[in-house]
Amino acid sequence: MSEHTFQPRIIAFCCNWCSYAGADLAGVSRLQMPADFNIIRVMCSARVAPEWIIKALLNGIDGVMVLGCHIGDCHYISGNHRAAKRFVLLKEMLAFVGVHPDRLLVDWVSASEGRKFQTLVTEFSKRVKELGPCREWQVEIQTPQR
Amino acid sequence: MTEFTLQDQIRDRAKQLLASEQVKCVIGYEHGSRGQVRPAFIHQINDVDSLVWNQGCTHNLVTYLRDIKGTFGSDEHLQRVAIIVKPCDSRALNVLLAEKQIEREHIYVIGVVCTGIVEGAGYAGQSSDKLQTRCVRCSDRVPVIYDLLVGEPTHPEITDDYVDLTELEAMPPAERAAFWLKQYERCILCYACRQVCPGCYCSTCMFERDDSLWVGIAAGVKEKEAFHLGRAYHLAARCIGCDECERVCPMELPLSLLNHKLAKEVQRLFHYCAGDEPSQSPLATMLAEGEEFPA
């Protein structure tokens, strides 16, 4: 696959209370964004199980974003505290098994930060494009779908 | 003959505990039918003399506490269990205590001062004079938690240099990915690593649920990798590095490498070492004042 045609597949986990609204704001403000990401709405960034990210990256997703409320603004008070700690460790583990840590992005987007959402998605998409497909050397193995 | 006396002390205490009905069972070590050391569950005073202590006592007996969880009777007849622990095992006790898996008053801990366990221990005819890798880098001679301490405490100056990780860490990422893929390909999904682990106590493992959206039903390399990475992550900041998973693995996968790497990163990021105290893992607590992530 040449770099020119490579279209990364990105999952963005957005928390219901801040980041999803931020993404929504970016949308209604008609900000230009790459179209290669899919948003999955979760109730809190702490709901994002690290296993999901591991599974996504092993199964053909090229990059994962986890976006939550700013520290201190969590709807559940301390959910994003836990997310912050978990994913910084997960990055280290992914790097150790040969997945580039830049394929996972954790950041905070509030409901009013449509512009920040746009910047994050654009930059991340660019970065993942540079990195190329994740695990292309094992694409022939397919998991049966339910 | 220090070891002889240690063993005698263990037997003496086990006898006392069983005779006074302070405990219902003593979990310790005995000689197996082929001369190897194996875990023993002593209920009768007559059987106490089969208890042994030597450098082949590699098993982490804390694993077996999982099986007696919930079997304690009512308070009228408290059925306590005595357990023999090495320093590493005692840290697993702390992890279980912090996670409320066991009650402190339900266990009587016989802590043994440990000078290291030899390679090949637990298997008949494989014992050598060489210390296990985990013991070479271990400075814990005294259990962190005990009711009775057996042996003379020493405090050697050994620091973990993570030398086993340097080779992998120096590899380019693609090679490292290939290395792990090659290892996980050999996995036969027997789950022995999980069964032997004191930290893996979920009654239904996430990776074996009927709803296997977590891990596909195929026994492909991706599923194996997801299982091993997921398990390693579940044990992050909880793994005490007893390396039992690696010892029991029939395919001899280097499972301890990933656990050791995570322990290293947890130490670096959170200044936390699993089991040193019965405290919650940093991954389950809030950020401290002034602590900021993602870095």
Side-chain angles (χ1 to χ4, degrees):
Chain A
M1 203 184 283
S2 77
E3 217 166 285
H4 187 67
T5 55
F6 172 60
Q7 194 76 22
R9 278 185 290 181
I10 294 168
I11 291 182
F13 290 102
C14 292
C15 93
N16 181 53
W17 306 101
C18 297
S19 316
Y20 192 81
D24 202 26
L25 180 66
V28 294
S29 315
R30 305 197 173 249
L31 300 178
Q32 280 291 317
M33 281 180 279
D36 39 21
F37 68 97
N38 285 308
I39 290 184
I40 297 179
R41 175 155 69 159
V42 287
M43 290 310 280
C44 180
S45 51
R47 177 66 187 94
V48 182
E51 298 87 7
W52 296 353
I53 294 168
I54 295 169
K55 195 168 178 184
L57 291 173
L58 297 185
N59 284 271
I61 298 297
D62 305 306
V64 177
M65 302 170 81
V66 180
L67 305 176
C69 306
H70 285 271
I71 296 288
D73 293 346
C74 180
H75 188 76
Y76 307 102
I77 296 165
S78 62
N80 52 7
H81 287 236
R82 296 184 171 103
K85 291 192 191 182
R86 280 174 201 167
F87 297 127
V88 70
L89 188 62
L90 182 64
K91 273 189 191 187
E92 297 294 342
M93 188 177 91
L94 288 174
F96 193 62
V97 295
V99 177
H100 200 287
D102 283 0
R103 289 186 190 278
L104 171 61
L105 178 99
V106 186
D107 216 318
W108 319 126
V109 176
S110 83
S112 59
E113 291 176 330
R115 184 70 68 182
K116 182 174 179 188
F117 183 84
Q118 179 209 24
T119 323
L120 280 177
V121 167
T122 317
E123 303 264 297
F124 187 64
S125 169
K126 211 174 109 205
R127 181 75 185 112
V128 173
K129 237 176 218 167
E130 280 168 22
L131 290 170
C134 182
R135 297 285 164 117
E136 61 181 333
W137 37 268
Q138 60 172 84
V139 282
E140 73 280 1
I141 308 161
Q142 289 293 326
T143 316
Q145 295 297 309
R146 256 164 74 107
Chain B
M1 293 298 283
T2 352
E3 280 184 14
F4 183 69
T5 35
L6 292 190
Q7 185 170 299
D8 277 354
Q9 283 180 50
I10 292 171
R11 286 180 186 175
D12 276 356
R13 194 55 174 187
K15 260 180 213 158
Q16 284 169 21
L17 289 167
L18 285 170
S20 62
E21 292 191 335
Q22 278 187 67
V23 301
K24 191 185 141 212
C25 172
V26 178
I27 308 178
Y29 303 93
E30 68 180 6
H31 278 302
S33 47
R34 286 173 295 154
Q36 83 281 27
V37 173
R38 69 180 182 194
F41 300 84
I42 308 290
H43 291 85
Q44 313 284 339
I45 299 181
N46 298 344
D47 299 336
V48 164
D49 284 336
S50 67
L51 282 176
V52 298
W53 171 258
N54 56 39
Q55 287 201 305
C57 297
T58 184
H59 313 78
N60 188 344
L61 301 174
V62 174
T63 302
Y64 300 107
L65 288 179
R66 169 182 66 192
D67 300 330
I68 56 163
K69 187 188 149 202
T71 61
F72 293 108
S74 61
D75 290 349
E76 290 164 36
H77 186 68
L78 201 60
Q79 296 177 318
R80 292 175 85 201
V81 171
I83 183 166
I84 295 168
V85 293
K86 302 187 290 292
C88 44
D89 308 343
S90 71
R91 298 200 288 126
L93 271 180
N94 261 348
V95 171
L96 293 190
L97 284 170
E99 292 170 3
K100 307 269 190 294
Q101 293 301 311
I102 46 176
E103 302 268 354
R104 184 65 184 88
E105 55 266 28
H106 285 168
I107 47 169
Y108 184 93
V109 185
I110 303 174
V112 189
V113 173
C114 171
T115 50
I117 300 298
V118 291
E119 205 75 76
Y123 296 103
Q126 287 187 25
S127 224
S128 66
D129 295 334
K130 218 174 117 225
L131 282 188
Q132 293 182 3
T133 342
R134 61 170 176 133
C135 299
V136 173
R137 63 176 182 235
C138 171
S139 62
D140 288 348
R141 293 286 180 270
V142 185
V144 290
I145 175 173
Y146 54 82
D147 293 309
L148 171 77
L149 184 66
V150 179
E152 278 302 311
T154 52
H155 298 280
E157 289 286 326
I158 302 171
T159 42
D160 194 348
D161 50 6
Y162 303 103
V163 71
D164 54 334
L165 302 173
T166 42
E167 191 189 337
L168 260 181
E169 283 173 340
M171 276 185 193
E175 245 177 73
R176 210 154 48 205
F179 167 84
W180 283 111
L181 191 76
K182 220 172 86 193
Q183 301 300 332
Y184 293 139
E185 217 159 26
R186 286 160 48 221
C187 172
I188 55 172
L189 286 175
C190 67
Y191 299 128
C193 46
R194 186 193 65 195
Q195 292 308 111
V196 81
C197 179
C200 273
Y201 50 70
C202 296
S203 48
T204 307
C205 178
M206 194 185 98
F207 295 102
E208 244 189 331
R209 288 198 335 206
D210 288 344
D211 172 17
S212 35
L213 279 170
W214 293 102
V215 174
I217 54 171
V221 70
K222 259 196 285 188
E223 285 74 17
K224 294 172 189 176
E225 187 166 20
F227 165 68
H228 284 290
L229 296 188
R231 203 184 87 84
Y233 193 83
H234 287 179
L235 288 169
R238 299 172 62 237
C239 172
I240 48 99
C242 64
D243 288 4
E244 282 285 270
C245 44
E246 187 167 306
R247 184 180 66 84
V248 298
C249 180
M251 303 310 285
E252 296 177 348
L253 304 186
L255 297 172
S256 66
L257 283 179
L258 197 51
N259 290 334
H260 197 210
K261 168 72 178 174
L262 283 169
K264 177 185 174 185
E265 295 305 330
V266 167
Q267 178 71 47
R268 185 176 67 83
L269 292 164
F270 306 115
H271 315 290
Y272 179 85
C273 181
D276 277 358
E277 274 162 35
S279 60
Q280 278 217 308
S281 118
L283 299 180
T285 53
M286 289 174 69
L287 292 169
E289 199 68 46
E291 196 180 5
E292 262 188 52
F293 288 108

